[in-house]
Amino acid sequence: MAPAKATNVVRLLLGSTALWLSQLGAGTVAASKSVTAHLAAKWPETPLLLEASEFMAEESNEKFWQFLETVQELAIYKQTESDYSYYNLILKKAGQFLDNLHINLLKFAFSIRAYSPAIQMFQQIAADEPPPDGCNAFVVIHKKHTCKINEIKKLLKKAASRTRPYLFKGDHKFPTNKENLPVVILYAEMGTRTFSAFHKVLSAKAQNEEILYVLRHYIQKPSSRKMYLSGYGVELAIKSTEYKALDDTQVKSKMLFSFLYPMSFFAFF
């Protein structure tokens, strides 16, 4: 009978232990709290229309300017449409030049804001000019600035006598057969009426091979919303700040012994 009683006692102990562990696990799950992290860039949110144009530019320079022609004043719809409707409108315009596979790639680029840094790069270049006060858009003709279309012709007359500007690899140059022409750099936000007015004049001059027309993105009034990034890993390291009391006399005696021992060892031999 003793072995049978011992077996029952062991089963009872195992059962109570399993019940205690299950309750402990349930309590741990209930007490756990999730941590949500958002990664925001240092620059404000950039317009999706400009990001779409950079996607087009990566496809080809020709597609960039074709897309630009179809969205010259598209930004005005942003004031009346919802963000989702405006997003679909941009995709519809881009669909005129892209197949379904590239449309899906564009959606993915939107989701991770892949081309937002490129827009901010142009914004920083414009800030270094710097832009004239109160101008929604402006042109730079060999170091001369103006935000008035009727002054472009006057600034072009003596442009050859001034230093030619440096052009970056990512600059958007209007298709032309000649490169040795006066360079006119337009800083403007694509899709606005101000941009459209400048573009009509400059594109006509570029087609007549009077100028080398270069477009750089410029947003006069950046968004107040933060630029949240996705597709990046974030590590949250939590360090304990508790301090434990130690008897430093023992630590010092051990250190002294470890120091004297090798010295006496070498002295002996």
Side-chain angles (χ1 to χ4, degrees):
M1 294 299 291
K5 288 182 178 180
T7 303
N8 292 333
V9 170
V10 170
R11 287 179 179 176
L12 181 62
L13 289 173
L14 290 175
S16 61
T17 303
L19 178 61
W20 176 77
L21 288 174
S22 64
Q23 290 178 346
L24 178 63
T28 304
V29 173
S32 65
K33 295 182 180 180
S34 61
V35 178
T36 304
H38 296 283
L39 184 62
K42 290 184 178 181
W43 61 89
E45 187 180 47
T46 52
L48 289 179
L49 180 60
L50 305 190
E51 294 181 30
S53 71
E54 287 300 312
F55 181 89
M56 289 292 185
E58 200 169 76
E59 291 296 309
S60 69
N61 189 51
E62 182 182 2
K63 283 187 177 181
F64 171 84
W65 291 99
Q66 288 175 345
F67 176 72
L68 182 147
E69 290 292 340
T70 63
V71 298
Q72 286 191 43
E73 297 186 9
L74 194 70
I76 61 176
Y77 293 99
K78 191 175 182 180
Q79 301 174 0
T80 57
E81 301 288 338
S82 64
D83 290 342
Y84 183 70
S85 298
Y86 187 62
Y87 166 83
N88 287 324
L89 182 59
I90 295 173
L91 292 176
K92 183 178 179 181
K93 293 292 184 180
Q96 299 178 30
F97 312 102
L98 301 173
D99 55 22
N100 290 333
L101 174 61
H102 285 84
I103 285 293
N104 289 331
L105 288 175
L106 177 58
K107 290 179 180 179
F108 178 71
F110 280 161
S111 66
I112 63 174
R113 311 309 294 263
Y115 295 94
S116 181
I119 307 303
Q120 179 60 23
M121 177 196 70
F122 284 113
Q123 189 76 358
Q124 186 60 48
I125 294 173
D128 293 339
E129 282 293 344
D133 295 334
C135 294
N136 295 328
F138 65 98
V139 294
V140 179
I141 305 175
H142 293 217
K143 295 190 175 182
K144 294 291 184 180
H145 304 63
T146 183
C147 54
K148 297 179 180 178
I149 297 177
N150 56 8
E151 291 183 357
I152 294 176
K153 187 176 181 180
K154 185 176 92 172
L155 294 178
L156 283 171
K157 288 182 179 180
K158 296 182 180 180
S161 62
R162 299 191 296 270
T163 305
R164 188 180 177 87
Y166 178 81
L167 298 181
F168 299 96
K169 182 180 178 180
D171 279 329
H172 306 297
K173 295 188 290 185
F174 191 87
T176 181
N177 295 325
K178 292 183 179 181
E179 291 285 335
N180 191 21
L181 296 169
V183 181
V184 180
I185 303 176
L186 172 62
Y187 291 89
E189 182 179 352
M190 183 188 303
T192 61
R193 289 176 178 172
T194 308
F195 162 78
S196 180
F198 272 99
H199 174 69
K200 288 177 181 177
V201 174
L202 297 179
S203 60
K205 288 184 178 295
Q207 289 172 354
N208 294 332
E209 296 184 346
E210 298 177 23
I211 63 170
L212 179 62
Y213 171 25
V214 177
L215 173 64
R216 291 176 181 170
H217 301 297
Y218 168 63
I219 309 166
Q220 187 205 19
K221 296 180 180 179
S223 173
S224 58
R225 293 190 289 188
K226 291 183 178 181
M227 182 72 232
Y228 289 106
L229 305 175
S230 59
Y232 299 85
V234 178
E235 179 184 3
L236 181 62
I238 302 176
K239 182 179 179 181
S240 175
T241 57
E242 294 182 1
Y243 294 91
K244 297 180 179 179
L246 296 175
D247 187 359
D248 58 350
T249 57
Q250 295 180 3
V251 176
K252 288 180 179 179
S253 61
K254 289 181 180 179
M255 291 177 63
L256 182 61
F257 176 76
S258 61
F259 176 74
L260 292 177
Y261 178 78
M263 293 296 291
S264 60
F265 178 81
F266 284 108
F268 180 81
F269 285 93

